[in-house]
Amino acid sequence: MQIGPHLLKNKLIVAPMAGVTDRPFRQLCKKMGAGMAVSEMVSSNSLLWGSIKTQRRANHDGEVSPISVQIAGADPQMLATAARYNVDNGAQIIDINMGCPAKKICNVMAGSALLQDEKLVGRILDSVVNAVDVPVTLKIRTGWDKQHKNALSVARIAENSGVQALAIHGRTRACAYTGTAEYDTIAAVKAAINIPVIANGDITTPEKAQEILAYTKADAIMIGRAA
Ligand SMILES: Cc1cc2nc3c(=O)[nH]c(=O)nc-3n(C[C@H](O)[C@H](O)[C@H](O)COP(=O)(O)O)c2cc1C
């Protein structure tokens, strides 16, 4: 599994989880074998960067590479500035959050709410990819509800924008965390695009990890709650 110049030591990635995947947790996961562990999301709103919470999230001292930092927001320019800020603070990969279903995030049209506006998705990705010299990755859901599963079209936009890996959580935004993740959409995206695809959602055992890798043909898996 390769993201830009970074060759991961395996296909196992720890999912970004706000309030969970802080620096000690990421370091522990990497020590215990994870190929990569993505940071908690950092807001693209620069007014928050002075806060202790955001300063802690932007601190990567001593972290094992590759250091992947997730940013969240809805404004292309603000996200580009946030990406540069985090690269200046040690980020080696910038991940963009278009997967979070939380009301606090979606109410400002960020996180998974962005999936409803594909033009804006394209503008955000172009803006962030052009702003930094490090690889940009994207995390999405399969769509915003079961009637609007547009992961494939978002994946194509991402590939065209120069995004270097795509993580897909096998639920829609409307599903939140209910029901079970489905992997057909992930398999369809993997078959259609040429950038690495990372399968995510309900991977809870080594057996399921193998099963999902084989079923989706994804390049890697991402584990959240079972981490
Ligand atoms: C407590 C918690 C916090 C999360 N925070 C984020 C986040 O900051 N950014 C993000 O993209 N996804 C976030 N997620 C979603 C996870 O990254 C992952 O997509 C989801 O939990 C499904 O994977 P799992 O079934 O392996 O847990 C969060 C999930 C949980 C449970």
Side-chain angles (χ1 to χ4, degrees):
M1 172 68 182
Q2 178 119 15
I3 303 178
H6 304 289
L7 179 64
L8 306 194
K9 64 180 178 187
N10 56 39
K11 296 166 180 276
L12 187 56
I13 298 171
V14 179
M17 287 183 287
V20 180
T21 55
D22 57 11
R23 185 164 54 119
F25 186 86
R26 294 195 298 275
Q27 275 166 324
L28 202 58
C29 290
K30 285 174 177 173
K31 207 170 167 186
M32 292 176 77
M36 186 168 82
V38 184
S39 81
E40 305 171 87
M41 64 179 144
V42 179
S43 171
S44 63
N45 182 350
S46 60
L47 295 174
L48 300 173
W49 293 345
S51 75
I52 301 263
K53 186 165 133 184
T54 300
Q55 278 181 3
R56 279 206 187 112
R57 287 187 182 183
N59 177 335
H60 310 290
D61 289 350
E63 201 169 335
V64 175
S65 111
I67 298 168
S68 172
V69 176
Q70 187 183 70
I71 56 175
D75 180 83
Q77 282 317 315
M78 281 168 76
L79 280 157
T81 306
R84 274 193 296 263
Y85 171 83
N86 281 289
V87 170
D88 289 345
N89 279 285
Q92 296 170 321
I93 295 173
I94 292 292
D95 186 51
I96 302 177
N97 179 341
M98 293 193 192
C100 181
K103 284 215 176 82
K104 190 167 101 175
I105 302 295
C106 285
N107 284 351
V108 288
M109 270 303 285
S112 55
L114 287 168
L115 298 176
Q116 286 179 75
D117 188 342
E118 292 182 8
K119 280 208 176 98
L120 181 56
V121 168
R123 282 176 42 226
I124 287 173
L125 299 180
D126 288 342
S127 171
V128 176
V129 168
N130 288 328
V132 290
D133 290 332
V134 304
V136 174
T137 60
L138 175 65
K139 181 162 178 282
I140 63 171
R141 286 185 170 231
T142 53
W144 72 90
D145 63 26
K146 283 185 179 154
Q147 287 70 47
H148 301 94
K149 282 197 187 175
N150 60 338
L152 188 51
S153 124
V154 171
R156 289 203 167 104
I157 294 169
E159 184 172 30
N160 288 334
S161 296
V163 163
Q164 301 206 31
L166 177 71
I168 310 172
H169 177 188
R171 286 187 173 85
T172 65
R173 173 190 166 195
C175 292
Y177 290 96
T178 61
T180 48
E182 59 89 3
Y183 306 102
D184 290 330
T185 306
I186 301 175
V189 171
K190 171 60 197 168
I193 63 171
N194 292 312
I195 54 173
V197 168
I198 302 157
N200 170 239
D202 297 348
I203 301 173
T204 47
T205 62
E207 293 74 21
K208 186 137 186 212
Q210 269 182 338
E211 189 191 314
I212 301 312
L213 274 171
Y215 185 75
T216 60
K217 301 202 168 48
D219 301 271
I221 49 163
M222 177 177 268
I223 296 182
R225 289 162 295 173

